Amino acid sequence: MRKIALALIIMCFGFKIPAYCFDFNIKRSANSEIRSVVNEHNKAMAEHDIEKVKTFYDKDYKSSDGFDLDDLISMLEKTHETYKNIKYKTKINNITAYNNWALVQMSDKTSAKIYPVKDKDIKKEKMGKLEGRSVYIVYLKKENDNWKIVADDILMEETSLKYGVANDINMDLITPVSVQNGKEYDLSLKVDKPEDMVALASISREEIAYPPVDYQEKFRKVPETGGLVRLVKANNKNLDEYAVASIGFSKISLNEEMNKARIEVLGLAYIMKRINVEKNPLNSSKLVESN
C-alpha cells in the first residue's frame, strides 16, 4: 500500500493525476466533514442512485486513467444494468486534509450474482459469482463550502467472474504490481485443476480505455501441472493495463461402444488484475492539467 506522502509527491509532480499541490496547513477538524461527504457518496453508490452519485463530483473531474465525469457515469450505468444486484462494501482507511484539499484512501469489495437465464430458480451450480476488491485514493477540493471529488488514483484492483465448478477451483493470475512504460513483463496463471477435467485458458493484457478495445484471445490447454506463462509487452502510450485470464473447464466422456465422445462444459472463469504502468516523464505534459 502506498503512503499518503508518496501520493502527495506524485500529485504535485503530475505523473499520475492533475497537478494539484497543497498548502501544508493541516485542519484536522475538517476530517469529520469529509468523512460525512464520502459516506454519503458511498451510500448513493450502494443504492445505485447514479444521479445522486454524480452530485459528488466536480464538473472537471478526471480519473488517473483519463476518464471524465461523463465516462464515469456511463460506466456506472452499464455496470448496474449488467449486474442489477451488485453490492459495494466500502471502508475509509485514512483521511488527510490540507486547507481546502483532502485525500481519502479507501478500500472496497464488490459482489454480484449472475443468472445465465432470467429464471432465478436456476440451480445454484449454474449461477455465476462476481467478486472484486480495490484500494484507491480520491482527491477532494472545497469550493463554496462544498467538497467535490476532482480526481482519483487506483492503487490495486482485481475482479473475478466464475460460473459452475470454477467457483470451487483454486486459481490465481500472477502479475507485477507495476511495470515500466513499453517494457516486457510476465503473466502466469496457476490452476488447481481436477484430474478428470480438461481446462483451456487464455492470458493476455489490455490497455485501460473507454470504450474498451476488443482483444483476440488465444486459448491453450492447461498442462497437468496447472500453469500457463506468457511474456507480454506494456504499451508505450502512458496507459495503465489489465491482465486478463479466461478459463474453461470441461469433461469428456465416451459412450458404452467407445465410438462417441461427449464434451460437457462444467465451468467458466474470468480473472482481471490491474497493472499500473510507470509513466514516461517526457510525455507527462499530456497527463497534467493545470489548476
Side-chain angles (χ1 to χ4, degrees):
M1 185 180 295
R2 298 183 187 178
K3 296 182 179 178
I4 293 296
L6 177 57
L8 282 170
I9 293 171
I10 294 172
M11 203 171 189
C12 291
F13 281 95
F15 294 140
K16 287 289 288 181
I17 63 166
Y20 302 122
C21 297
F22 300 121
D23 181 350
F24 287 81
N25 181 10
I26 300 176
K27 292 186 177 180
R28 298 185 184 277
S29 61
N31 282 22
S32 59
E33 185 179 320
I34 296 163
R35 183 178 293 274
S36 177
V37 171
V38 173
N39 281 336
E40 284 296 314
H41 167 272
N42 295 341
K43 181 181 177 182
M45 284 286 292
E47 295 174 349
H48 299 189
D49 190 344
I50 294 178
E51 286 304 312
K52 188 171 182 180
V53 168
K54 189 175 179 178
T55 65
F56 291 94
Y57 289 82
D58 185 85
K59 62 181 179 63
D60 295 321
Y61 160 84
K62 186 75 72 174
S63 77
S64 59
D65 293 318
F67 303 144
D68 60 22
L69 185 55
D70 288 339
D71 294 332
L72 174 66
I73 297 304
S74 177
M75 286 186 284
L76 284 176
E77 289 174 341
K78 290 181 179 179
T79 297
H80 293 166
E81 182 181 347
T82 304
Y83 308 108
K84 298 185 185 300
N85 59 20
I86 192 167
K87 295 179 181 179
Y88 303 96
K89 186 177 180 181
T90 307
K91 177 184 177 183
I92 298 175
N93 299 324
N94 185 277
I95 298 175
T96 310
Y98 300 89
N99 281 346
N100 63 332
W101 291 93
L103 291 83
V104 182
Q105 189 200 71
M106 292 188 282
S107 56
D108 69 20
K109 294 182 179 180
T110 58
S111 61
K113 296 178 181 179
I114 300 93
Y115 300 90
V117 294
K118 292 183 180 180
D119 183 7
K120 290 190 178 182
D121 292 328
I122 191 168
K123 292 181 180 179
K124 184 178 178 181
E125 60 266 22
K126 298 290 185 179
M127 183 181 67
K129 294 181 182 179
L130 174 77
E131 294 182 340
R133 64 190 186 101
S134 63
V135 179
Y136 55 97
I137 296 173
V138 295
Y139 301 85
L140 299 94
K141 184 179 180 182
K142 189 174 187 180
E143 288 184 342
N144 300 322
D145 293 327
N146 291 316
W147 289 98
K148 297 287 185 179
I149 298 173
V150 295
D152 56 35
D153 190 11
I154 302 174
L155 307 181
M156 182 280 292
E157 181 184 16
E158 59 183 40
T159 306
S160 67
L161 175 58
K162 299 178 180 179
Y163 291 92
V165 298
N167 284 297
D168 301 317
I169 296 176
N170 292 325
M171 59 191 86
D172 188 20
L173 178 60
I174 302 169
T175 74
V177 174
S178 63
V179 296
Q180 292 184 4
N181 198 65
K183 299 295 184 180
E184 292 183 337
Y185 62 96
D186 287 324
L187 299 176
S188 62
L189 176 67
K190 301 292 184 182
V191 182
D192 290 340
K193 181 185 69 65
E195 292 183 1
D196 61 342
M197 291 185 194
V198 175
L200 297 177
S202 168
I203 49 178
S204 60
R205 53 152 288 276
E206 60 182 54
E207 297 156 14
I208 299 178
Y210 188 78
V213 178
D214 288 332
Y215 285 82
Q216 200 143 29
E217 294 181 301
K218 295 181 180 179
F219 285 87
R220 290 183 289 167
K221 183 179 178 181
V222 177
E224 293 305 316
T225 55
L228 286 179
V229 179
R230 184 178 177 188
L231 180 67
V232 298
K233 187 175 182 180
N235 73 88
N236 58 4
K237 307 172 189 175
N238 281 345
L239 295 176
D240 292 322
E241 300 186 345
Y242 284 128
V244 182
S246 302
I247 312 105
F249 298 93
S250 60
K251 197 170 186 178
I252 302 175
S253 57
L254 295 173
N255 62 359
E256 292 183 1
E257 292 76 20
M258 304 291 286
N259 58 8
K260 287 186 179 180
R262 180 173 179 264
I263 301 176
E264 183 182 6
V265 177
L266 301 176
L268 297 169
Y270 306 93
I271 305 173
M272 184 168 67
K273 287 189 176 182
R274 182 186 183 91
I275 300 172
N276 289 317
V277 176
E278 298 174 9
K279 305 299 184 283
N280 184 346
L282 296 177
N283 296 328
S284 62
S285 60
K286 298 178 182 179
L287 306 175
V288 177
E289 177 180 305
S290 299
N291 183 26

